[in-house]
């Protein structure tokens, strides 16, 4: 077993340099988490990697990859109401997929405790948007914890898990890309001697777990009462802290303060370290529900308070409403324009923002000199040897030669890069699994232009099947290309239902034949002439046609081959 795996499950306290995602796993183990489920998506896959590196027979929790985020959430919820502390994790837009179930959970007693971990993505580093899931947490009536460092990730998770168990209330644990991937020296605690008791403890009286019609209202009242308890907890929570790094002396007769959260708080503190100004900082680790008493006390103690948050104006609006309702006269400052509602707040950007309001504390800095010469742009591209490259080349050539007015629709995955030059395949992209539904809509009443859409094998199972079934049902004049590379490649080669690495292998061809697809062909993506023949026949077919262009992800194929060779070599050495 690796040194990393040893440290993850070592019983005594220890100190180590740890990534935020990895620190989260140690916190899970120390908290007694029994079930973890997930669907892969950046910036969270390293959470699973840190779990999976522990040999299964020594792993103190059950972990599984689920078909999609909704199923992962339901799996964790089911384990929680059976009395087991559970977590589920995925990326920001994964919460959209999970929402139909997740939005009910705060009304139901999660008796074992349930923490929903999301990786939000300010700056859209690896996502199709910058959605701020603090809105979603409020709609779901879930308390929101927001760590700003790997060390806070560790300590806040254990606080969130304990609060969830105590109140039987799901908690939203909102990380962001650079919290997930930052590294910090952390003092970890010892692992308590837990008894992992798998006795099912689910018990319901009446309609406790039936949020429907009139039964909703007593459940919702109970959820409000739990949120009130969280707000009270926030007054003494170590996650909510006031920093005064340079003292609290007035600046030109004004007492200045900042209310902020997560990574922006540390950008503010770095700016104060450089400035030396005596400005107090209220860092909120629990950003929903806001502890009104804590916030009002801070406002009353200051003449001017700047509210700095990353992305949308959420705590700004809530704090302004609190101030108005309570007759607070403190001058509240906030970000002035829409440009400040995008991207991450790094120290340089915070300094520039503050200099427009408090120039006596943050002297405006001259703009940086422009680069002497531009760096040549380098587009993202598919890996050398990737079967998608070969497939796109062949299909692009066929379309240019025989079907020049074709509309192509992309989906999420490595193959999304096919929308760029030189292939330019897939001019529409929304979310995982959308391609068949969107393509089906574009085919309605369309007698003049062919419609081709693409989907990967992992997305096929994640969210692709409903759209495919719809196209089968209406026999839409659409050609679907399933790009099968036998892994979830884009997020780090996680398994899915058709890889055979988890459970019984479910073959895509078998699924499609069972659904009654009338036109179905399969070919290795490297066999370009044969692929073009199948595509031509599919596009000329009157109705819905599917071509599977398959080839293993070469990155994974080569890595697996090396692992097998090393294992064989080790076995031969042992047998000598």
């Amino acid at each position: 077993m690796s040194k990393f795996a040893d440290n993850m499950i070592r019983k005594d306290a220890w100190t180590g340099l740890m990534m935020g995602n990895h620190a989260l796993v140690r916190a899970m183990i120390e908290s007694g988490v029994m079930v973890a489920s997930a669907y892969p998506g950046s910036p969270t896959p390293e959470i699973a990697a840190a779990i999976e590196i522990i040999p299964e027979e020594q792993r103190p929790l059950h972990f599984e990859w689920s078909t999609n985020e909704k199923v992962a959430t339901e799996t964790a919820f089911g384990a929680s109401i059976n009395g087991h502390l559970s977590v589920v994790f995925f990326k920001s837009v994964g919460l959209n997929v999970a929402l139909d179930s997740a939005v009910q959970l705060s009304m139901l007693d999660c008796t074992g405790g349930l923490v929903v971990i999301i990786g939000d993505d300010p700056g859209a580093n690896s996502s199709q948007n910058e959605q701020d899931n603090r809105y979603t947490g409020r709609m779901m009536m879930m308390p929101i914890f927001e760590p700003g460092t790997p060390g806070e990730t560790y300590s806040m998770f254990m606080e969130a898990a304990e609060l969830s168990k105590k109140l039987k209330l799901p908690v939203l644990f909102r990380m962001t890309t650079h919290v997930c991937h930052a590294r910090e020296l952390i003092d970890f605690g010892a692992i308590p001697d837990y008894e992992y008791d798998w006795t099912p403890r689910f018990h319901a009286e009446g309609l406790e777990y039936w949020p429907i019609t009139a039964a909703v209202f007593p459940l919702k009242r109970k959820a409000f009462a739990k949120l009130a308890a969280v707000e009270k907890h926030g007054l003494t929570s170590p996650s909510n802290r006031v920093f005064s790094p340079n003292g609290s002396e007035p600046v030109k007769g004004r007492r200045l303060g900042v209310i902020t959260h997560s990574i922006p708080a540390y950008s503010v503190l770095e700016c104060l370290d450089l400035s030396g100004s005596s400005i107090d900082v209220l860092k909120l680790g629990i950003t929903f529900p806001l502890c009104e008493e804590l916030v009002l006390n801070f406002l009353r103690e200051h003449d001017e308070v700047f509210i700095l948050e990353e992305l949308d104006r959420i705590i700004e609006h809530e704090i302004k409403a609190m101030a108005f309702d309570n007759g607070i006269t403190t001058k509240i400052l906030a970000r002035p324009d829409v440009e400040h509602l995008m991207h991450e707040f790094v120290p340089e950007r915070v300094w520039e923002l503050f200099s427009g309001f408090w120039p006596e504390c943050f002297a405006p800095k001259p703009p940086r000199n422009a680069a002497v010469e531009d760096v040549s742009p380098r587009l993202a591209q598919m890996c050398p040897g990737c079967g998608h490259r070969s497939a796109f080349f062949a299909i692009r050539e066929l379309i240019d030669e025989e079907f020049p007015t074709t509309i192509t629709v992309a989906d999420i995955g490595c193959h999304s890069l096919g929308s760029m030059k030189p292939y330019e395949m897939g001019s529409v992209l929304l979310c995982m699994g959308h391609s068949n539904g969107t393509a089906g809509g574009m085919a309605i009443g369309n007698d003049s232009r062919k419609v081709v859409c693409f989907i990967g094998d992992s997305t096929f199972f994640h969210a692709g099947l409903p759209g495919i079934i719809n196209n089968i049902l209406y026999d839409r004049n659409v050609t679907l290309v399933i790009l099968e590379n036998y892994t979830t490649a884009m997020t780090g080669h996680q398994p899915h239902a058709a890889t055979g690495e988890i459970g019984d292998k479910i073959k895509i061809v078998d699924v499609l034949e069972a659904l009654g697809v009338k036109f179905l062909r399969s070919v290795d993506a490297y066999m370009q002439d044969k692929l073009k023949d199948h595509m031509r026949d599919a596009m000329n077919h009157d109705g819905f046609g599917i071509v599977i262009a398959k080839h293993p992800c070469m990155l994974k194929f080569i890595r697996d081959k090396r692992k097998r060779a090393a294992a064989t070599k080790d076995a031969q050495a042992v047998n000598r």
Side-chain angles (χ1 to χ4, degrees):
M1 190 163 65
S2 71
K3 177 71 172 175
F4 180 87
D6 279 335
N7 281 337
M8 273 295 165
I9 59 174
R10 81 186 253 189
K11 295 287 290 183
D12 59 326
W14 59 284
T15 300
L17 184 67
M18 193 68 72
M19 176 193 285
N21 279 339
H22 294 166
L24 196 56
V25 175
R26 174 67 185 196
M28 290 181 197
I29 293 170
E30 288 186 34
S31 300
V33 169
M34 293 181 65
V35 173
S37 55
Y39 185 81
S42 182
T44 62
E46 295 86 2
I47 302 172
I51 296 172
E52 291 186 310
I53 201 169
I54 304 168
E56 194 166 355
E57 65 276 8
Q58 297 182 51
R59 201 178 294 163
L61 56 86
H62 169 83
F63 170 69
E64 65 178 58
W65 290 113
S66 300
T67 313
N68 65 20
E69 294 87 352
K70 182 174 184 288
V71 175
T73 301
E74 292 156 353
T75 299
F77 168 67
S80 174
I81 62 176
N82 238 0
H84 313 316
L85 177 58
S86 303
V87 300
V88 58
F89 56 91
F90 37 72
K91 72 175 295 174
S92 56
V93 292
L95 189 53
N96 304 339
V97 180
L99 194 56
D100 200 28
S101 292
V103 78
Q104 327 296 341
L105 300 185
S106 63
M107 294 189 290
L108 312 175
D109 279 346
C110 297
T111 50
L114 172 60
V115 182
V116 179
I117 301 165
I118 55 166
D120 267 12
D121 195 17
N125 301 279
S126 60
S127 305
Q128 62 263 48
N129 65 35
E130 273 193 311
Q131 74 182 53
D132 193 331
N133 277 315
R134 294 178 301 158
Y135 276 129
T136 318
R138 282 159 169 77
M139 181 177 69
M140 296 188 298
M141 299 178 69
M142 281 189 195
I144 304 174
F145 279 72
E146 291 194 67
T149 66
E152 285 186 351
T153 297
Y154 165 71
S155 60
M156 281 192 193
F157 177 87
M158 292 198 290
E159 181 185 355
E162 191 59 35
L163 191 66
S164 179
K165 287 191 293 183
K166 178 182 175 181
L167 297 176
K168 303 178 183 179
L169 178 67
V171 171
L172 187 64
F173 198 80
R174 180 181 183 257
M175 301 176 72
T176 57
T177 299
H178 286 104
V179 178
C180 289
H181 294 156
R183 286 169 170 78
E184 184 180 6
L185 199 64
I186 303 172
D187 294 324
F188 295 107
I191 299 175
D193 291 322
Y194 290 113
E195 290 186 12
Y196 293 95
D197 184 358
W198 289 100
T199 303
R201 293 181 176 82
F202 177 72
H203 178 73
E205 292 180 1
L207 299 177
E208 287 179 78
Y209 290 93
W210 276 71
I212 188 169
T213 63
V216 165
F217 302 104
L219 298 177
K220 193 170 182 180
R221 288 186 191 98
K222 187 165 65 172
F224 277 124
K226 290 179 180 181
L227 287 177
V230 176
E231 182 181 345
K232 184 178 179 181
H233 169 81
L235 191 60
T236 55
S237 169
S239 295
N240 294 330
R241 298 175 60 193
V242 175
F243 295 88
S244 301
N246 303 316
S248 300
E249 294 300 316
V251 177
K252 290 189 175 181
R254 298 169 300 164
R255 294 163 300 169
L256 305 182
V258 177
I259 299 178
T260 184
H261 68 121
S262 190
I263 279 186
Y266 291 98
S267 293
V268 171
L269 291 172
E270 186 170 326
C271 289
L272 289 178
D273 184 53
L274 296 172
S275 164
S277 300
S278 53
I279 298 174
D280 301 318
V281 179
L282 171 57
K283 180 187 177 297
L284 297 169
I286 302 175
T287 57
F288 177 73
L290 293 181
C291 179
E292 184 168 319
E293 184 178 349
L294 184 70
V295 171
L296 292 179
N297 287 343
F298 189 84
L299 290 175
R300 289 189 182 105
E301 292 166 359
H302 297 85
D303 299 299
E304 294 183 13
V305 171
F306 198 110
I307 300 173
L308 178 65
E309 56 191 315
E310 215 161 54
L311 298 183
D312 299 342
R313 301 184 190 275
I314 298 177
I315 60 174
E316 174 191 333
H317 288 165
E318 292 183 359
I319 291 173
K320 284 178 175 177
M322 284 182 194
F324 180 83
D325 290 345
N326 289 275
I328 302 292
T329 58
T330 303
K331 185 177 182 180
I332 296 177
L333 308 172
R335 297 165 294 166
D337 56 54
V338 296
E339 287 302 314
H340 293 110
L341 305 182
M342 297 183 278
H343 302 290
E344 300 159 292
F345 270 104
V346 295
E348 183 180 36
R349 195 166 177 233
V350 170
W351 186 288
E352 182 183 5
L353 175 62
F354 283 177
S355 69
F357 293 87
W358 296 326
E360 66 275 27
C361 299
F362 304 94
K365 295 181 179 180
R368 286 185 174 183
N369 294 328
V372 177
E373 59 183 71
D374 292 331
V375 177
S376 299
R378 182 180 182 274
L379 291 175
Q381 55 185 299
M382 288 171 279
C383 301
C386 175
H388 300 345
R389 283 186 175 220
S390 179
F392 281 137
F393 180 87
I395 297 169
R396 175 81 271 167
E397 197 169 64
L398 174 70
I399 287 175
D400 287 345
E401 292 173 359
E402 301 182 31
F403 307 97
T405 64
T406 296
I407 301 168
T408 58
V409 181
D411 215 299
I412 298 291
C414 291
H415 52 87
S416 303
L417 300 174
S419 62
M420 301 177 182
K421 291 183 178 180
Y423 310 110
E424 297 179 303
M425 301 290 286
S427 52
V428 185
L429 179 67
L430 288 181
C431 60
M432 291 189 74
H434 91 98
S435 59
N436 279 274
T438 300
M442 298 179 93
I444 296 173
N446 177 3
D447 297 324
S448 58
R449 299 181 67 183
K450 302 290 185 183
V451 181
V452 175
C453 63
F454 300 89
I455 199 167
D457 44 354
S458 182
T459 310
F460 173 89
F461 290 102
H462 171 280
L465 280 166
I468 291 171
I469 291 170
N470 207 60
N471 282 342
I472 295 170
L473 183 65
Y474 289 100
D475 202 20
R476 300 284 194 216
N477 203 9
V478 169
T479 299
L480 167 63
V481 182
I482 299 175
L483 296 158
E484 186 173 18
N485 62 3
Y486 312 111
T487 188
T488 312
M490 194 178 205
T491 51
H493 305 115
Q494 293 85 6
H496 59 70
T499 64
E501 297 168 83
I502 47 175
D504 293 332
K505 182 174 182 177
I506 301 173
K507 295 180 181 178
I508 291 176
V509 169
D510 292 348
V511 173
L512 294 173
E513 287 177 346
L515 289 173
V517 176
K518 296 174 184 174
F519 185 102
L520 178 60
R521 302 286 186 274
S522 181
V523 61
D524 191 297
Y526 274 20
M527 301 176 67
Q528 293 185 343
D529 288 341
K530 194 169 183 180
L531 174 59
K532 287 166 75 172
D533 289 341
H534 288 331
M535 284 297 300
R536 182 183 297 108
D537 291 344
M539 294 174 75
N540 285 324
H541 171 72
D542 186 17
F544 188 47
I546 298 177
V547 176
I548 302 174
K550 57 189 179 181
H551 196 82
C553 168
M554 294 309 292
L555 208 60
K556 185 174 188 298
F557 180 80
I558 291 168
R559 286 175 182 172
D560 289 348
K561 192 172 182 179
R562 285 173 179 162
K563 287 177 184 176
R564 287 194 298 271
T568 301
K569 187 176 180 181
D570 290 344
Q572 289 172 344
V574 169
N575 292 328
R576 284 194 180 114

